[in-house]
Amino acid sequence: MLDRFRVSNFKSLVNVELRPSGLNLFVGANNAGKTNLCHALRFLALTTRMPLDEAARNCTAEPWNLLNVYAGDGHLEMEADCTLGVEGELLRFTYELRLSSGKKAGGRAADRPFTVSFECLKVTGEAVDQKTLLENTAGKVKLLREKRDSDIEASPLAGPAISLSALGGRSNVETSAPDHATMLFQLYDLKTNRMANLFKQYLGSWGYYSLDPVRLRSNVATPMDRVLSADGSNLCSVLYTLHNERPRDQQRLVEAARLVEPRLDLISFQSPDPEHVYMFFEDSQGHRFGVQNLSDGTLRFLAMSFLIIGNRRESGALPAPPLVMIEEPENGLFVGHLKALFERIDPSGTQGQFIFTSHNPYFIDLFDGALDGIHVVKAGRTHSVVVRPAPSKIQERLGKFSLGEMHFRGLLE
């Protein structure tokens, strides 16, 4: 799981450090920087799956404004410390990424490309002395060769298992790479770089969601669609895949959705062609209701149920459950329904690490059992400040005020 995240010079975030727990809540006034912090995490995840400029475009509507306008610095810095399980051992991965942004000759501000100035991935643990798995300085790359060619040839039937002992005493491979993308993105899935690829898979699994009720109704489908898009526009598609591959998990979603739609008996689908799928709610008498007849809140609840209940990865698929960020989950929903869904989250992070943003005092009240995950984001004149209140101080005030009222009164800081 993610233990520490540091970002500097990303929108309103200047030298901000976040130490998330298993269950987290970002609160603060409008335009304080809550979404910016989520976008920073999302941007880092996207750099493992696409070039830097494409990651910036996918992260924000104005990629040319990714840097803090007051800092006057053309560098963006990010760091992530993560604990991942490998062969029964907990290993600590430390990743640093430093990007440069310079204006193209004769170009506009919107044309500024990002390039990698420095990138480094290290791993350490009880069974492993600290090793640098990857180091990238402006396109000049050193990769730790985790296995010799002779090791690979001697074990032609070896699967994706990673040998911790193979990290000792191996040489580096020096190469070059284009600087418009991270080396993690350009890394091949080879036995010689299993550890680095393991971290890449975990970082790339982070998901950010700002669910759009209009797009949740889309019937556009992609075969074998398993990952929900940020706006929820492929909800019907991913639930259709879930229906075909894991029907018991789909039934759990039906049971959860009965909180908002008690008449629901099952969810059915029609797929007239490979590019479209239609989802229907059915009651016990077989009456059908299409997604156009469902409320915005019902669809948002169904999407969040998928993220919390139905999106749990199979054991061993990843070294740690993914990080899931959900913006303002209470929009269009009765918070009483969310309470039952919220109680399904393991605050230890065993089934997934969650970050929510919210202004709703009743949703904020749901965190009275997860006080160590509350983060207050405050707006300054030139940058945001993130404060993690001491749980003991919040606990002292809970007898007089609820969490939501504390936030309203400014007592969480």
Side-chain angles (χ1 to χ4, degrees):
M1 64 187 295
L2 175 64
D3 300 313
R4 184 185 74 95
F5 174 71
R6 177 185 168 271
V7 56
S8 190
N9 202 21
F10 183 95
K11 296 189 176 182
S12 66
L13 307 175
V14 177
N15 197 26
V16 168
E17 183 173 279
L18 173 71
R19 292 183 179 270
S21 58
L23 179 57
N24 304 271
L25 173 67
F26 293 169
V27 296
N30 294 111
N31 211 37
K34 303 183 296 298
T35 295
N36 288 347
L37 191 48
C38 290
H39 281 179
L41 290 161
R42 185 188 185 197
F43 176 73
L44 183 61
L46 289 173
T47 61
T48 69
R49 310 204 303 260
M50 58 190 69
L52 297 174
D53 286 355
E54 188 176 344
R57 289 193 299 271
N58 276 269
C59 180
T60 177
E62 296 182 343
W64 56 89
N65 280 335
L66 218 59
L67 301 181
N68 184 281
V69 296
Y70 298 102
D73 185 0
H75 295 94
L76 168 60
E77 298 177 3
M78 291 186 167
E79 300 173 8
D81 295 344
C82 306
T83 301
L84 308 181
V86 180
E87 294 183 352
E89 299 285 343
L90 291 178
L91 301 182
R92 184 178 180 84
F93 290 78
T94 301
Y95 183 61
E96 299 178 45
L97 180 62
R98 182 179 174 89
L99 307 178
S100 296
S101 177
K103 188 175 181 179
K104 288 182 180 178
R108 300 170 300 169
D111 293 328
R112 294 182 302 177
F114 282 102
T115 58
V116 176
S117 298
F118 181 73
E119 177 186 13
C120 184
L121 175 62
K122 297 180 180 179
V123 64
T124 187
E126 290 186 7
V128 181
D129 293 332
Q130 187 178 85
K131 294 290 182 181
T132 299
L133 300 176
L134 177 157
E135 185 174 297
N136 178 7
T137 304
K140 295 181 179 180
V141 180
K142 292 181 181 179
L143 294 174
L144 179 67
R145 197 170 183 80
E146 298 174 22
K147 282 180 177 288
R148 293 193 185 96
D149 290 338
S150 58
D151 296 332
I152 299 171
E153 293 169 1
S155 305
L157 300 179
I162 299 168
S163 173
L164 299 180
S165 61
L167 289 176
R170 300 310 189 200
S171 61
N172 287 321
V173 175
E174 296 188 8
T175 184
S176 60
D179 61 4
H180 69 282
T182 67
M183 191 60 206
L184 274 185
F185 166 67
Q186 299 171 96
L187 200 63
Y188 291 107
D189 189 8
L190 301 174
K191 293 182 176 67
T192 50
N193 302 114
R194 284 297 186 194
M195 283 287 192
N197 275 291
L198 194 73
F199 178 80
K200 172 184 177 177
Q201 292 166 16
Y202 167 67
L203 195 60
S205 73
W206 294 358
Y208 167 83
Y209 303 95
S210 182
L211 301 170
D212 184 330
V214 174
R215 301 198 177 194
L216 284 168
R217 292 178 164 81
S218 173
N219 56 28
V220 177
T222 302
M224 311 302 287
D225 207 355
R226 299 184 180 90
V227 179
L228 191 66
S229 60
D231 58 8
S233 56
N234 63 339
L235 177 65
C236 293
S237 185
V238 296
L239 292 186
Y240 181 58
T241 301
L242 186 71
H243 169 80
N244 291 326
E245 295 184 346
R246 293 150 52 199
R248 288 184 176 84
D249 284 340
Q250 188 212 11
Q251 186 57 33
R252 293 188 182 96
L253 294 190
V254 170
E255 293 167 359
R258 288 189 184 124
L259 286 169
V260 294
E261 181 46 78
R263 296 171 298 173
L264 178 61
D265 186 59
L266 60 87
I267 299 176
S268 61
F269 299 87
Q270 285 185 356
S271 182
D273 60 70
E275 297 181 354
H276 297 86
V277 62
Y278 296 89
M279 181 172 66
F280 299 92
F281 277 24
E282 295 189 21
D283 63 17
S284 57
Q285 285 77 44
H287 298 119
R288 278 185 166 189
F289 304 91
V291 293
Q292 300 301 329
N293 292 317
L294 299 177
S295 71
D296 293 352
T298 298
L299 287 172
R300 285 175 57 85
F301 187 90
L302 190 62
M304 285 187 284
S305 297
F306 172 76
L307 294 172
I308 294 172
I309 303 171
N311 197 29
R312 293 173 181 172
R313 307 300 173 91
E314 296 179 5
S315 177
L318 286 171
L323 174 70
V324 177
M325 296 166 274
I326 303 178
E327 293 263 26
E328 300 183 3
E330 71 278 359
N331 283 350
L333 271 166
F334 172 52
V335 176
H337 294 325
L338 278 177
K339 180 179 180 181
L341 184 61
F342 189 80
E343 289 173 347
R344 293 175 179 258
I345 299 175
D346 183 350
S348 71
T350 302
Q351 297 294 336
Q353 206 170 1
F354 288 87
I355 293 174
F356 297 93
T357 70
S358 180
H359 293 285
N360 187 293
Y362 299 107
F363 182 78
I364 294 171
D365 284 343
L366 300 182
F367 278 78
D368 59 5
L371 300 181
D372 62 337
I374 296 175
H375 308 264
V376 181
V377 185
K378 301 187 295 183
R381 190 179 68 85
T382 61
H383 60 274
S384 302
V385 177
V386 180
V387 178
R388 190 175 187 179
S392 59
K393 291 184 178 180
I394 300 177
Q395 192 67 52
E396 290 175 2
R397 296 169 179 163
L398 274 177
K400 187 175 181 180
F401 305 104
S402 68
L403 277 179
E405 190 173 2
M406 278 189 240
H407 173 53
F408 174 75
R409 294 174 178 268
L411 298 176
L412 284 179
E413 300 175 9

